[in-house]
Structure formats: C-alpha cells, structure tokens
Amino acid sequence: GAVVSQHPSRVICKSGTSVKIECRSLDFQATTMFWYRQFPKQSLMLMATSNEGSKATYEQGVEKDKFLINHASLTLSTLTVTSAHPEDSSFYICSASRPSGAPGTQYFGPGTRLLVL
Amino acid sequence: AQRVTQPEKLLSVFKGAPVELKCNYSYSGSPELFWYVQYSRQRLQLLLRHISRESIKGFTADLNKGETSFHLKKPFAQEEDSAMYYCALSGAGGYNKLIFGAGTRLAVHP
C-alpha cells in the first residue's frame, strides 16, 4: 500500500505556456502532500507543503504565483508551473504522508521531468 | 538553521566491505532523522528512521546528539545496495516536512 502516482511522467512545452502536474495517492488519503524540485545530480529541494482544503505553504524563495498548488481532495494535489521558462526545466517530485503514518514518513511519486524550450 | 550535510557525493566499495555513509545535521530542537534510498530507476523510499531503531536490509543508523550525526552503516555491503542514499531531518515547520541532504551515491563493486 501507500502508492503515489504522478502525471505526466515527462512533458515538453514552449516557453510562456503553463504546465500542470498531478500527484495522486492511489490507495490512501493524504492530508498532506509535498512538492519538491530536483536539479541534475542535486538533492531534493522542498518547494511547498500542500494541505487539503487550505492554501499551500511555500518555502522561502519559491514564488507562489509562479508555482500554483491546489489540493482539492484527499487524494489529489496539482502543481501548475505558470508561464514556464527554460530555467523552470527540472525534475518535480511529489510525496504524500498518511494521517496515521509515522512522523516524517513520506511516500514519493516517480517524478515528472519538465523541459521548457 | 536546519541543515543536513552529507559530505561524500560518491562512496565506492567492494562487495563484502563495510560501509558507512556520513550524515551530520544542524537543528536547535529535538530532530527526527531518516535515511531514504533511491535505487536505479525507482522512486525514493524510506529506508529507516532513528526512532524505530531497527535494522533494514542490514543497515543501521544511530543518532549521536553530541556529534549531531546520523551515520548509516552496514558491515558487509552487497551489490544490490548500490543506490543513492539521502539523509533527511524532520523538525520544525509542522506537517512533518523533510529537509534532505545532498545525497551520497553508494557503488558496490563485485
């Protein structure tokens, strides 16, 4: 159990367009989901924490108007990269925690590779 | 400031050799420490938590508050241990958010 999926797995878009990435918890309800960004050969950088039914909490330096997060249900969170530019190209990973789960235990999605031309 | 430091980008050993992946942290309160692992072409997954004090796949890690360290150890490395290992800290901020170290790639050679 505790499977998290992401869609799409990879996306290529033109500069200036918006891209939506979905993160779903398939077999459990996730009250909290997290969005990370990973540059090549670097660690995961937490972008924001998403809670169902409330506004996301963004980490310092992350533009909330640039990276729109919506957590409309207990199994779905979306990240929209608005007006994407080449510097937004990266690997975006989501994770989810279970309400009854051990603190700090997160279940990760497979990631979405975004390439902005 | 909260910080997790993994000083080694790559650790290369032969099969059967002992392994120690270093992790140091900076945190003012009582942290919870974790090791996450990412095998080739797989997603990140939890390996172990310091709270549970368990051994997973032969790996152990002891939290040393005096040295602010949480090194990951295994007495005899196996080829299937080759992966990317991330040390992570959960503390302030609520919602159990994690702060990750840069990661260490473990390569176990036959």
Side-chain angles (χ1 to χ4, degrees):
Chain A
V3 179
V4 175
S5 70
Q6 279 184 245
H7 179 80
S9 58
R10 59 180 63 201
V11 57
I12 301 174
C13 70
K14 293 182 179 180
S15 185
T17 61
S18 294
V19 175
K20 180 185 284 188
I21 302 170
E22 293 185 349
C23 177
R24 293 181 185 273
S25 56
L26 299 184
D27 52 359
F28 67 100
Q29 293 184 331
T31 50
T32 305
M33 289 183 169
F34 305 86
W35 287 95
Y36 297 86
R37 183 173 180 176
Q38 186 176 35
F39 291 101
K41 298 185 179 181
Q42 294 190 31
S43 186
L44 286 78
M45 182 193 77
L46 180 64
M47 299 175 65
T49 302
S50 168
N51 287 283
E52 186 267 338
S54 63
K55 291 183 178 180
T57 301
Y58 290 82
E59 294 299 302
Q60 191 173 10
V62 178
E63 300 177 58
K64 61 180 180 180
D65 295 329
K66 173 75 173 176
F67 300 99
L68 299 178
I69 292 173
N70 184 278
H71 194 157
S73 77
L74 287 172
T75 59
L76 174 64
S77 176
T78 60
L79 168 68
T80 301
V81 183
T82 62
S83 187
H85 287 92
E87 57 265 30
D88 299 325
S89 298
S90 191
F91 195 55
Y92 292 89
I93 305 171
C94 76
S95 71
S97 62
R98 308 170 76 155
S100 57
T105 299
Q106 296 181 16
Y107 302 94
F108 285 82
T112 296
R113 188 163 301 284
L114 170 64
L115 177 61
V116 184
L117 302 177
Chain B
Q2 304 169 60
R3 188 182 300 121
V4 177
T5 303
Q6 293 179 251
E8 303 146 325
K9 286 189 176 180
L10 172 66
L11 184 61
S12 186
V13 301
F14 286 104
K15 176 183 175 181
V19 168
E20 182 178 67
L21 300 169
K22 298 187 186 303
C23 172
N24 288 90
Y25 66 89
S26 174
Y27 184 67
S28 58
S30 294
E32 294 181 31
L33 275 299
F34 307 82
W35 278 98
Y36 277 79
V37 61
Q38 187 170 29
Y39 299 102
S40 179
R41 300 187 182 186
Q42 294 187 29
R43 67 190 67 192
L44 202 62
Q45 59 185 288
L46 178 66
L47 179 63
L48 56 80
R49 302 175 290 140
H50 92 267
I51 288 179
S52 58
R53 300 185 65 82
E54 56 195 343
S55 173
I56 304 295
K57 299 184 178 182
F59 284 98
T60 58
D62 291 319
L63 179 60
N64 186 322
K65 292 186 178 181
E67 296 183 356
T68 60
S69 68
F70 188 57
H71 303 326
L72 183 67
K73 300 177 183 179
K74 184 170 183 176
F76 308 103
Q78 302 299 314
E79 289 181 67
E80 54 264 32
D81 296 328
S82 296
M84 195 73 183
Y85 291 81
Y86 293 96
C87 183
L89 176 154
S90 176
Y95 306 119
N96 297 316
K97 71 177 188 179
L98 293 171
I99 305 298
F100 284 89
T104 298
R105 180 166 297 283
L106 174 63
V108 182
H109 303 285

